[in-house]
């Protein structure tokens, strides 16, 4: 069974042909429950997201701020397992046809087994993985199995990345490049870092792979701002916060759908 890296690439190309950025949503698996998380992913896509990153909850999420940490804690206390992450990918992709990635730290994959993880993700219809803490120079084993199973390997670049380092990272990755708009953890912010546009420019100088910007985008105006210079706009904490603030799980799912619609207008410059 081959994964859906091609679907991911085609989706990003299709957005570009519409003269807009793609909208990429992030939601953790198992939050607020496994079933509720699946419904939220489906709602994000139905609302207007082009791609969804499904987070694999982890006890030490070094890139994630307090909002996503809270959701991860709820999922972990609920007993979420890697099998539930795979089920989330499988059911969301089957229901929507959209590309679904997994965003995960390296330790859970290492313990689970690289071959087992990549084979199961491909079988579930996954498009690939975002691996924020896997150094490129230590990624050969992962990339070998990901390529074998038709999965994208998305690496994260940061404003601190030197041009030489950017070239090394982009040469090893596939699908898209995740450009972190600032130094720090995920979370909603009042404005998008001015470093983001410069990072996209420097990253594009090293690769033809799409460059998508995340960290700090929370509303349609910010999405429109980033869409001016990025191939994709990644939004996570704002979706999770809407769910945390909702009075019940069903309202949380509808809040995700509504925010996806608002952000979809943002990436199309309709705000």
């Amino acid at each position: 069974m081959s994964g859906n890296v091609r679907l991911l690439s085609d989706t990003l190309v299709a957005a570009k042909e519409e003269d807009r950025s793609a909208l990429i949503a992030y939601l953790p698996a198992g939050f607020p429950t496994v079933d509720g998380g699946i419904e939220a992913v489906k709602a994000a896509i139905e609302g207007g997201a082009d791609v969804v990153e499904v987070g694999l909850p982890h006890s030490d999420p070094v890139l994630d701020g307090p909002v996503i940490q809270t959701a991860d804690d709820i999922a972990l206390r609920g007993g979420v397992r890697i099998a539930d992450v795979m089920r989330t990918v499988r059911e969301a992709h089957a229901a929507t046809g959209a590309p679904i990635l997994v965003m995960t730290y390296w330790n859970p994959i290492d313990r689970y087994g690289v071959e087992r993880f990549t084979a199961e993700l491909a079988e579930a219809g996954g498009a690939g993985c975002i691996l924020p803490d896997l150094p490129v120079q230590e990624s050969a084993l992962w990339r070998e199995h990901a390529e074998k199973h038709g999965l994208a390997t998305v690496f994260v670049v940061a404003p601190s990345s030197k041009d030489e380092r950017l070239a090394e990272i982009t040469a090893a990755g596939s699908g898209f490049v995740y450009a972190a708009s600032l130094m720090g953890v995920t979370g909603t912010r009042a404005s998008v870092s001015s470093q983001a546009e410069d990072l996209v420019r420097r990253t594009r100088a090293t690769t033809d792979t799409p460059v998508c910007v995340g960290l700090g985008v929370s509303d349609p105006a910010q999405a429109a701002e980033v869409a001016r210079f990025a191939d994709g706009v990644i939004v996570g904490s704002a979706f999770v916060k809407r769910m945390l603030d909702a009075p019940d799980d069903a309202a949380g799912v509808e809040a995700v759908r509504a925010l996806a619609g608002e952000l979809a207008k943002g990436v199309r410059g309709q705000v």
Side-chain angles (χ1 to χ4, degrees), residues 26 53-58 60-65 68 72 101-109 117 128-139 142 152-158 160-161 165 169 176-180 183-186 215 234:
Y26 167 94
E53 306 170 4
V54 170
L56 194 161
H58 188 48
D60 186 25
V62 293
L63 185 69
D64 296 312
I68 291 175
D72 276 5
L101 300 109
V102 170
M103 185 165 187
T104 178
Y105 298 97
W106 179 245
N107 181 259
I109 295 178
F117 189 95
C129 264
I130 301 163
L131 301 159
D133 66 341
L134 178 63
V136 169
Q137 61 270 27
E138 298 174 18
S139 67
W142 164 265
T153 297
V154 179
F155 288 117
V156 178
V157 298
S160 61
S161 302
R165 178 68 173 160
I169 293 170
F176 64 88
V177 182
Y178 188 126
M183 302 302 295
V185 297
T186 59
L215 271 67
I234 303 168

Side-chain angles (χ1 to χ4, degrees), residues 18-140:
E18 293 177 13
D19 196 29
R20 66 174 179 89
S21 283
L23 174 61
I24 303 174
Y26 167 94
L27 289 159
F31 167 72
T33 62
V34 175
D35 288 343
I38 292 168
E39 291 306 309
V41 173
K42 287 156 57 174
I45 296 162
E46 291 161 3
D50 300 288
V51 179
V52 172
E53 306 170 4
V54 170
L56 194 161
H58 188 48
S59 57
D60 186 25
V62 293
L63 185 69
D64 296 312
V67 170
I68 291 175
Q69 285 183 25
T70 299
D72 276 5
D73 186 55
I74 291 168
L76 290 167
R77 284 191 281 113
V80 71
R81 295 289 183 265
I82 287 178
D84 299 313
V85 177
M86 298 297 179
R87 180 184 156 214
T88 301
V89 172
R90 178 182 296 105
E91 295 191 15
H93 173 66
T96 64
I100 312 290
L101 300 109
V102 170
M103 185 165 187
T104 178
Y105 298 97
W106 179 245
N107 181 259
I109 295 178
D110 191 38
R111 293 183 62 185
Y112 197 72
V114 176
E115 170 59 22
R116 180 184 177 195
F117 189 95
T118 52
E120 290 184 6
L121 182 56
E123 187 276 329
C129 264
I130 301 163
L131 301 159
D133 66 341
L134 178 63
V136 169
Q137 61 270 27
E138 298 174 18
S139 67

